Structure formats: structure tokens, C-alpha cells
Amino acid sequence: MRVVMFYHSILSDWNHGNAHFVRGVASDLLRRGYEVLLYEPWDSWSRSNLLRHHGPESLQGFRRAYPDLWPTLYDRCTLDLDGAIREGDVVLVHEWNEPEFVAALGRHREARGDYRLLFHDTHHRSVSEPQSMERYDLHHYDGVLAFGSVIRDLYMKRGWAKRAWTWHEAADVRVFRPTDGLREGECVWIGNWGDEERSEELQEFLVEPIRRLKLRCTIHGVRYPAPAVSLLEGAGIRYAGWLANYNAPRVFARHAFTVHVPRRYYAQSLPGIPTIRPFEALACGIPLISAPWNDADRLFTPGCDYLVARDGQEMEQHMRDLCENDELRKALADHGRRTVLSRHTCAHRVEELLEICEDLGLDGSVGRGRGAGAERMTA
């Protein structure tokens, strides 16, 4: 079986958290012996910003972390879909793709009819910007892979797709795993500031507790405006900028705990979707404290896999407890990692994908193809 993947970016994780999951799924498929063809637009927003802010050398780390992943860069206006898809059996299309390109793939699927076409939704726009999602013509798609049951249900309720499955994100545990490191601080937080979707929550659940406890804390991420950086500096927090996603394990290893602060849409309107960050932390064996979110899909066990803080004061108390209690830190880290290894790895999600393919009439047999054909980018 050949799998063709059209994603926003595999090379770059600059403000692109889904890159972790896509890389992990593609890597696991390759390890099983499937042929995987990866495509990303040459002018993807994430890759363009990575190169602009950090230069071409920023891609070298990706090559070392994922030597088997070789995405083809393409121009939407000139891409030969017949040549790109060739003898593909299943084609996955990321919702970060332009609506026109998504529609073109649908027309190609209708004309050829010899492969399965799936749309992969990894964002909150189905709730926050439903009008923008209505621009995507999925009439000729076989279905939608939604990274939460609530999003899956929205696609069916609104008639956007004829079929939809829940396909949660998960951890690539070959990359995200515990590692050794000398302690540099108590807390680390990895996340992007974004579009004011959680600025108040970050202040309540991260900045203020750290300031009051006078803990050593480092924050990694992008799109932090000057006022946000000043806010961090005023609280004694070190802002360290972009961190390549695959380097997160070694950063986690140098801190006592981390924090999850979900964006407002996930906390209030999209129950059951934690985003990739808790999977990463738990896979790396670092204790996690989370601001409130509703685990409606029962992915984890709150209180055992991670601690939950209902407000800033409770967050402060949890932070204090983790700083002082070695046994508590170890119990949380061990339980959380066991949970990820038992049911939330990219290998688990590949198994789910193969079951979906079988449901769509594909036998899922491993087979090698004739090669990518298109010129591949070298970094």
C-alpha cells in the first residue's frame, strides 16, 4: 500500500505543532515497509518563517532527527497530480492546504477513482471560523480524519463530509522519550503566544505562579509580541525563542516539571482535544500540571497522568508540591509515560489509520512503489 501525504510542512515546526504527529506517522509507516510520499508547498507559511528567522541551517537538525523523511516541495499551480499520486492507494490531505488545492484533489479523485482520499483536520477552525471551513469542497473525499470526536461530529452534523473518524494526535516515542540532563530550572513551558487566544490564561496559570514562587522558568515559542516578552521578564522568566520540536526531550530533561495551558477554544468549546503538548510531555517522562480542559474522549487519567489546576492559586500549590516532593514527581512521570506507551503513540494511530483503510476497502498490504519521481529538496 502506498500512502501519499499533502501537508502544510514536514520540514518545519515553526508555529506548526502538527509537524510532530505527521513526522511520527510517516516514520512509523516507513518502518512497517509502506511506501510514503510526502509533499509540502515550497512556500509554506511555517517553512518560510523558519528560514526567514533562523536561516537554512535550521533545517539541518530535521535531517539528523528524521533521516528517512524526504518531502517533495511543490508549486500548487504547476504540480502534476497524476505524477504526484501515481499509484497511491490512500492520500491524506491536511486542512492547512488552500481550498482550491483541496478541491483539485477531490476532482482528481473523482476522475481517477482508484485511491482513497481523506481530509485531515487538526485545528479549531470548525468552531472558531466555520465559514472558512465551508470553503473546503470535500464532496469527492472518502471522509475526514478529525483530531477529536467533537470535530468529527461537527463534520457530520453540518454535512461537510459523508464519513468522519476520530484520529487523535499522539507521541512519536522514538524521538520523544526520557533522556538525561542536568537540572537548569524548575519549570519549562513550550508553546507559541499566538493570536491572544490564551494570553489571560498564560498570565494566570503560568506567569503569576512562577513570579510568586520565584521559580527558575524558561519559555520556548514564537510569535511573542514585545509586551508579552516584557511581561515574562518582569516575572523573572527567561524567554528563549523558537525550539525545534525534536529538541524538546532534552529541554524537558533539564527541568522538574512543565505546564499545559490550552488555548481558549480547546478549553471551552472543543472538549476531548488536548493538542500535541501533553502527549509530548508525558512521553518524555516530565511531570505535567494542566490548566482546566475537559477530557471528554477519556484519553488520560487526571490526577494520575498529570495534575489539574482549577485556578492560579491551585497551580501555585501544585508547582510548590512538585518542587518539594520527589516521589510525587516520579509517580506522575511514570504513570503518564505508561499511559502514552499503552495507547497514545504514533504507532497506535497508524494502526487506527490502517483499520480505516480496511473499512474503505483497502487491504493494507505492505508494498514498495517505483520511487518518488519528482525532484526532492536537499537541505
Side-chain angles (χ1 to χ4, degrees), residues 14-31:
W14 195 96
N15 202 66
H16 176 29
N18 309 122
H20 168 181
F21 181 58
V22 178
R23 293 164 176 171
V25 167
S27 296
D28 191 80
L29 285 166
L30 286 169
R31 289 185 184 95

Side-chain angles (χ1 to χ4, degrees), residues 218-292:
T218 297
I219 285 182
H220 289 275
V222 302
R223 300 180 68 198
Y224 279 69
V229 174
S230 296
L231 176 69
L232 299 181
E233 291 175 349
I237 296 173
R238 183 173 77 95
Y239 172 58
W242 173 70
L243 175 71
N245 181 252
Y246 44 80
N247 286 330
R250 64 177 179 80
V251 172
F252 282 143
R254 297 198 294 262
H255 294 83
F257 63 86
T258 188
V259 173
H260 176 49
V261 183
R263 295 177 186 271
R264 204 163 300 146
Y265 285 110
Y266 296 115
Q268 298 178 0
S269 305
L270 291 170
I273 301 176
T275 72
I276 196 68
R277 300 304 183 187
F279 294 113
E280 293 176 346
L282 298 184
C284 290
I286 184 172
L288 172 68
I289 314 171
S290 178

Side-chain angles (χ1 to χ4, degrees), residues 15 65 98 115 121 128 145 207 212 220 231 259 268 314 363:
N15 202 66
E98 295 293 332
Y115 61 87
D121 192 332
S128 61
L145 303 173
V207 176
R212 290 193 294 267
H220 289 275
L231 176 69
V259 173
Q268 298 178 0
E314 196 164 25
D363 64 13

Side-chain angles (χ1 to χ4, degrees), residues 4 13 19 43 48 57 60 91 109 126 135 141 173 177 180 216 220-221 243 265 268 273 284 326 352-353 355 368 379:
V4 185
D13 53 47
D43 60 347
S48 297
E57 61 275 11
Q60 297 303 321
V91 178
R109 162 71 173 86
S126 57
R135 297 174 56 206
Y141 280 65
V173 294
R177 61 187 187 276
D180 295 329
R216 295 171 298 170
H220 289 275
L243 175 71
Y265 285 110
Q268 298 178 0
I273 301 176
C284 290
D326 294 346
E352 294 169 7
L353 177 63
E355 290 176 4
R368 304 301 297 178

Side-chain angles (χ1 to χ4, degrees), residues 8-16 40-56 58-59 73-74 76 96 377:
H8 175 73
S9 184
I10 293 93
L11 291 166
S12 172
D13 53 47
W14 195 96
N15 202 66
H16 176 29
E40 66 173 86
W42 70 271
D43 60 347
S44 73
W45 181 79
S46 177
R47 178 175 170 273
S48 297
N49 274 283
L50 179 63
L51 293 175
R52 180 161 61 89
H53 291 285
H54 302 281
S58 60
L59 297 177
L73 302 182
Y74 69 90
R76 301 179 191 88
W96 274 31
M377 193 279 293

Side-chain angles (χ1 to χ4, degrees), residues 188-206:
V188 61
W189 190 74
I190 302 174
N192 305 318
W193 187 266
D195 303 306
E196 301 299 325
E197 293 179 354
R198 57 181 167 192
S199 54
E200 295 177 7
E201 291 85 348
L202 285 173
Q203 186 156 352
E204 178 182 2
F205 288 99
L206 183 63

Side-chain angles (χ1 to χ4, degrees), residues 131-206:
Q131 68 282 359
S132 70
M133 298 308 296
E134 290 173 353
R135 297 174 56 206
Y136 289 93
D137 181 5
L138 306 180
H139 182 70
H140 298 304
Y141 280 65
D142 292 283
V144 170
L145 303 173
F147 80 143
S149 298
V150 62
I151 294 179
R152 175 203 63 197
D153 294 344
L154 281 172
Y155 272 88
M156 300 306 296
K157 179 180 179 180
R158 294 172 178 171
W160 291 346
K162 53 188 174 185
R163 299 188 72 179
W165 296 267
T166 300
W167 201 42
H168 278 289
E169 292 182 311
D172 179 1
V173 294
R174 293 177 180 87
V175 175
F176 288 79
R177 61 187 187 276
T179 185
D180 295 329
L182 296 175
R183 178 71 58 81
E184 292 182 354
E186 287 76 41
C187 178
V188 61
W189 190 74
I190 302 174
N192 305 318
W193 187 266
D195 303 306
E196 301 299 325
E197 293 179 354
R198 57 181 167 192
S199 54
E200 295 177 7
E201 291 85 348
L202 285 173
Q203 186 156 352
E204 178 182 2
F205 288 99
L206 183 63

